[in-house]
Amino acid sequence: MAKVNIEKKILTKNEMKAAEVRERLKDVAVLNFVSSPGSGKTTLLENVLAGLKEKYKIAVVEGDQQTTHDADRIKAAGVEAFQVNTGNACHLEAVDVERALDTLGYDLDLLVIENVGNLVCPAEYDLGEDAKVMLISVTEGDDKPIKYPVMTRACEAMIVNKTDLLPYVDFDVEGCIRYAKGVNPDLEIMTVSCRAKEGLDTVTAYIEKKILEKKGK
Amino acid sequence: MHELGIASSLIEIVIETAEANDAEIVRTVTAKIGRLAGVDSNALYFAYDAVKEEYPLLKDSKLIIETVPITGQCEDCGKTDTYEEMFFACSSCGSFSVKLLTGEELTISNIEVD
Ligand SMILES: Nc1nc2c(ncn2[C@@H]2O[C@H](COP(=O)(O)OP(=O)(O)O)[C@@H](O)[C@H]2O)c(=O)[nH]1
Ligand SMILES: [Mg+2]
Ligand SMILES: [Zn+2]
């Protein structure tokens, strides 16, 4: 019996496809939004993109198991959107993004991907994004960042949403941030209420920073 | 869920390597998987055994997974720690500025062939 040393990273087909997508989107900022179902991803995008669309060319890829509700909501806000229905799959894959781009085109400043709602599998699938952004709403419990540490580490930013509901729940914002930083010290953290329209400017500024970074400005 | 994709990619590398080394049969495949890689070992064993059936070269092979612990070094005081829980505070000074050294690997180490 002979031993053959290899020592090589196992790159999946999805990662190879993601690298192709990334290469084709070299000048486009690509953000992959992840959260549990109902944290407010679509609501946040409706609010924030409505302003950014005046300055930048934006498209959104919406992932859900079924329905075109979210793409319809984004289009109603005046932004191009493409709905991917994943059927039984619990996450988007890079090939879904490639397919969406066949329709949306590559001539963009910003591509936003709203992933299927769950904090497990989407952590494992590179979609060619520059950053994953995680949303947590205050009704979900402040320990989500350590309950889903793989996702917390995969993300560049975390947005705590629905702060208008803080008086009614026992969510400890400081505690949540502490948990998050203990898993990922580099995490950029924003707190917002889409309902009360608070903190949305910080999200807009973060996205704009990502766009300009990608343009090399 | 993604363990099937990982098993397929792993097997592709194994076959490529085995053929390049004129192997007739693959006995073992050793992979290193970090605790933070988000891979479920049992699901990967299961997926490997399912996929290997399609390849005569691999059908008697055994996958060996070496689980890599999470270790990190404090960027403030330099202390090195091994983490059981996925919360990375320095055990000496309490800082969260911990740079992980291991725990995120997903690599194929070696194969044994005849
Ligand atoms: N109270 C409150 N509700 C919100 C806020 N943001 C979103 N919602 C509500 O949360 C629900 C789910 O939002 P949606 O954007 O569809 O979540 P998604 O599944 O993450 O896309 C909707 O009923 C929203 O109106 C917020 O800041 N405060
Ligand atoms: Mg949605
Ligand atoms: Zn320290």
Side-chain angles (χ1 to χ4, degrees):
Chain A
M1 193 152 71
K3 185 161 159 179
V4 183
N5 281 318
I6 306 177
E7 290 305 336
K8 194 163 148 187
K9 182 166 164 38
I10 303 168
L11 263 189
T12 58
K13 288 214 164 59
N14 179 68
E15 284 167 300
M16 295 177 208
K17 180 56 76 184
E20 276 175 38
V21 171
R22 189 170 280 118
E23 179 63 27
R24 291 195 64 181
L25 292 171
K26 250 195 278 191
D27 310 316
V28 184
V30 184
L31 297 176
N32 178 0
F33 281 76
V34 296
S35 81
S36 306
S39 304
K41 297 181 296 301
T42 313
T43 311
L44 180 73
L45 295 175
E46 287 170 315
N47 277 281
V48 171
L49 300 185
L52 284 165
K53 77 167 199 285
E54 305 303 333
K55 261 171 100 176
Y56 301 105
K57 196 156 187 303
I58 303 172
V60 178
V61 180
E62 282 290 345
D64 279 301
Q65 276 196 311
Q66 292 295 333
T67 84
T68 60
H69 290 179
D70 283 4
D72 295 342
R73 285 169 61 186
I74 297 296
K75 285 180 193 162
V79 176
E80 266 310 306
F82 185 91
Q83 183 78 49
V84 177
N85 283 139
T86 57
N88 287 321
C90 47
H91 57 271
L92 288 172
E93 298 193 15
V95 66
D96 296 315
V97 176
E98 185 182 56
R99 228 171 271 140
L101 286 165
D102 286 342
T103 301
L104 296 168
Y106 287 81
D107 176 27
L108 299 168
D109 298 313
L110 170 68
L111 180 72
V112 174
I113 303 162
E114 179 181 336
N115 218 315
V116 181
N118 91 68
L119 291 172
V120 184
C121 321
E124 294 310 315
Y125 288 85
D126 183 355
L127 303 182
E129 72 269 353
D130 298 308
K132 287 190 176 74
V133 179
M134 172 175 172
L135 255 81
I136 292 188
S137 63
V138 303
T139 53
E140 293 167 39
D142 48 28
D143 56 357
K144 282 291 170 300
I146 50 163
K147 280 188 172 162
Y148 298 95
V150 177
M151 181 61 92
T152 304
R153 272 199 83 79
C155 288
E156 177 183 90
M158 180 177 95
I159 300 172
V160 178
N161 185 29
K162 308 195 188 180
T163 54
D164 57 291
L165 298 177
L166 280 172
Y168 312 104
V169 293
D170 58 0
F171 189 97
D172 174 0
V173 177
E174 289 310 310
C176 178
I177 292 174
R178 205 186 121 76
Y179 280 139
K181 291 276 186 185
V183 180
N184 181 355
D186 301 324
L187 206 60
E188 195 159 329
I189 294 167
M190 294 162 261
T191 54
V192 306
S193 165
C194 293
R195 181 63 51 88
K197 312 272 186 236
E198 279 169 8
L200 295 171
D201 289 353
T202 57
V203 179
T204 302
Y206 167 77
I207 295 176
E208 196 157 22
K209 182 186 80 187
K210 300 302 290 181
I211 295 172
L212 297 178
E213 264 173 26
K214 219 44 197 293
K215 291 189 176 304
K217 280 178 195 160
Chain B
M1 176 88 214
H2 68 136
E3 281 78 4
L4 192 58
I6 293 168
S8 304
S9 303
L10 176 66
I11 282 175
E12 255 175 50
I13 301 172
V14 172
I15 289 174
E16 210 175 274
T17 312
E19 284 175 352
N21 287 275
D22 297 322
E24 277 162 26
I25 190 156
V26 177
R27 300 290 179 191
T28 67
V29 172
T30 304
K32 277 201 200 92
I33 300 189
R35 282 189 55 225
L36 253 179
V39 177
D40 182 68
S41 294
N42 284 325
L44 186 55
Y45 282 126
F46 186 82
Y48 182 86
D49 286 340
V51 181
K52 79 177 186 189
E53 291 303 324
E54 294 167 33
Y55 304 94
L57 196 61
L58 295 183
K59 80 182 168 17
D60 294 319
S61 68
K62 186 174 179 311
L63 174 65
I64 300 166
I65 298 177
E66 290 174 356
T67 302
V68 183
I70 305 170
T71 61
Q73 182 167 33
C74 176
E75 296 190 301
D76 290 331
C77 78
K79 172 103 173 42
T80 304
D81 283 305
T82 300
Y83 293 98
E84 289 306 320
E85 305 214 333
M86 295 188 188
F87 184 81
F88 316 119
C90 172
S91 66
S92 172
C93 77
S95 168
F96 286 175
S97 297
V98 171
K99 186 167 172 14
L100 291 191
L101 304 172
T102 63
E104 295 177 301
E105 5 332 68
L106 177 55
T107 53
I108 175 164
S109 307
N110 62 69
I111 60 176
E112 287 180 306
V113 298
D114 278 316

